[in-house]
Amino acid sequence: MQTESNLTVVLTGASSGIGYATAQAFARTRANLVLAAREPAALERAAETCRRAGGTALAVPTDVTEPDQVLALAERAIQAYGRIDVWINNVGTGAVGRFEEVPVQAHRRVIEANLLGHMYGSHAVLPHFRRQRRGVLINMISVGGWAAAPYAASYVASKFGLRGFSESLRAELADVPGVAICEVYPTFVDTPGVRHGANYSGKRLRPAPPMLDPRQVAAALVTLARRPRPSTLLGSVAWPARVAHTLAPDLSAGITRRIMDMAFRAAKPAPITEGNLYSPSTGHGIDGGYRQSARSGATTRLIKLGALAVTALALWRAL
């Protein structure tokens, strides 16, 4: 696998959060970037930032829920640079609330963006990878692909689906060893994503600590482009959450629900919002600003201890 320098990288969800940080990280390696998101102005600002950082960048407004637009994105990248070396499916959104109280159309939209959007991207680029006998496909999943998250049922459904989808693709492509399928599972990341998603809970949302810096995730993606591996977990509670779910899924989900119920009771009221399900996000940036909370230190320790306790109990029950 060649080095990341001068790679041609297609990146969806590139105008904010992990995507924006990843675009800048690749630009510093002088990569050729093809950036996709729905909001043209924000996408062009991200592209200009990448050009100033040393890369070349092409902004291609794209709605990943529309397969024709995703196919056009791949064709535009090949027309501009002659090849695609890395394709990163990074779009992700959610709808928080009790399952039956969230409109079914919102659940459908989450699946379309998070699961079908990744499938459309993969479908567009894999024929090209097969022809050139090499390439790296990276699917951004989340620890939600391993552990249940009550009140985010369609989000978790999309992430569990992405895990199975990625594993199936890897098996199909075993006859093309130069093509790598990579899955990335971060824990909560401090991005504007929580504010951008739909919220039907009636409560103000904030991601649970410990939170990752988006730049940590971006650095991991740049490393995967150079040294692909099937599965990458990011965050101190990622492995405990995975082990706990594997050994005692109902126990770990039940404890998660109780923690979330406590958080909802303590949270301030907030209006119901469809967020970015049907229209582009506003307020683009890399950081969400949640890590600055004065209470994060104590809460982080509590979450870590809780994850470790669930893992230990799950291991005891498995013996």
Side-chain angles (χ1 to χ4, degrees), residues 24-276:
Q24 293 184 28
F26 273 107
R28 289 190 289 271
T29 72
R30 310 189 72 81
N32 303 316
L33 288 158
V34 182
L35 306 180
R38 287 179 294 176
E39 214 289 309
L43 190 61
E44 182 54 41
R45 286 195 296 271
E48 181 56 32
T49 300
C50 290
R51 296 178 195 120
R52 292 197 300 268
T56 63
L58 180 65
V60 183
T62 305
D63 183 341
V64 299
T65 68
E66 298 293 337
D68 290 344
Q69 292 188 31
V70 180
L71 184 60
L73 172 65
E75 292 172 348
R76 184 77 180 278
I78 294 170
Q79 289 170 0
Y81 298 112
R83 70 183 194 278
I84 300 171
D85 300 303
V86 181
W87 183 290
I88 303 175
N89 288 313
N90 174 65
V91 167
T93 190
V96 176
R98 194 180 299 279
F99 175 73
E100 68 272 17
E101 294 177 355
V102 174
V104 72
Q105 295 84 355
H107 289 309
R108 176 177 178 172
R109 188 64 175 174
V110 171
I111 298 296
E112 287 176 341
N114 294 3
L115 178 56
L116 293 180
H118 281 55
M119 295 178 74
Y120 297 153
S122 303
H123 199 269
V125 76
L126 284 180
H128 178 68
F129 282 176
R130 279 192 178 273
R131 284 193 298 270
Q132 67 186 17
R133 310 297 293 177
R134 61 179 175 80
V136 178
L137 173 66
I138 301 175
N139 285 329
M140 180 62 63
I141 303 182
S142 98
V143 76
W146 285 103
Y151 310 115
S154 53
Y155 174 85
V156 172
S158 71
K159 299 302 184 177
F160 268 62
L162 274 177
R163 177 160 59 89
F165 171 65
S166 300
E167 292 176 2
S168 298
L169 284 187
R170 190 177 304 111
E172 284 191 23
L173 286 156
D175 61 327
V176 192
V179 176
I181 309 296
C182 305
E183 307 150 26
V184 181
Y185 300 94
T187 54
F188 281 112
V189 185
D190 184 13
T191 73
V194 170
R195 289 193 296 273
H196 289 170
N199 180 7
Y200 296 92
S201 71
K203 296 288 187 175
R204 185 178 300 175
L205 303 176
R206 59 178 299 111
M211 283 173 271
L212 290 166
D213 186 322
R215 296 160 191 83
Q216 292 176 258
V217 184
L221 297 181
V222 172
T223 298
L224 282 175
R226 183 178 67 251
R227 295 191 297 274
R229 54 186 296 184
S231 181
T232 300
L233 274 72
L234 300 171
S236 59
V237 300
W239 271 107
R242 176 173 173 177
V243 171
H245 176 268
T246 300
L247 297 177
D250 290 340
L251 172 65
S252 59
I255 291 175
T256 302
R257 182 192 62 79
R258 286 191 284 274
I259 292 173
M260 294 183 71
D261 285 345
M262 291 173 58
F264 280 140
R265 285 194 293 270
K268 296 180 180 179
I272 302 298
T273 173
E274 295 177 342
N276 62 0

